[in-house]
Amino acid sequence: MTQPLPMESVEVLRKHQEREERGINRIIDERMADPAPGVPIEEIMGETLARGE
């Protein structure tokens, strides 16, 4: 017998997605303000995922 999977409301999922997008945008803004050569988006995404915010 399987147990039902917990479900989250669409609103909770949207808030989570918005928080992730803000984190990505914050890192991109920080990097764009830095006069050093660009950073690959893969590195930015990796840092964002590693933060676990």
Side-chain angles (χ1 to χ4, degrees):
M1 180 177 198
T2 62
Q3 295 184 358
L5 296 174
M7 297 187 70
E8 294 188 46
S9 71
V10 172
E11 182 178 332
V12 170
L13 296 174
R14 281 190 186 128
K15 286 181 180 181
H16 180 67
Q17 180 180 6
E18 289 170 1
R19 184 175 54 232
E20 288 179 341
E21 289 173 357
R22 282 193 304 271
I24 292 167
N25 288 334
R26 184 184 70 243
I27 293 171
I28 290 171
D29 290 343
E30 289 171 3
R31 296 295 173 91
M32 290 182 71
D34 188 349
V39 176
I41 191 72
E42 293 83 6
E43 184 177 332
I44 294 170
M45 294 299 296
E47 285 182 19
T48 301
L49 296 172
R51 289 182 184 188
E53 294 177 2

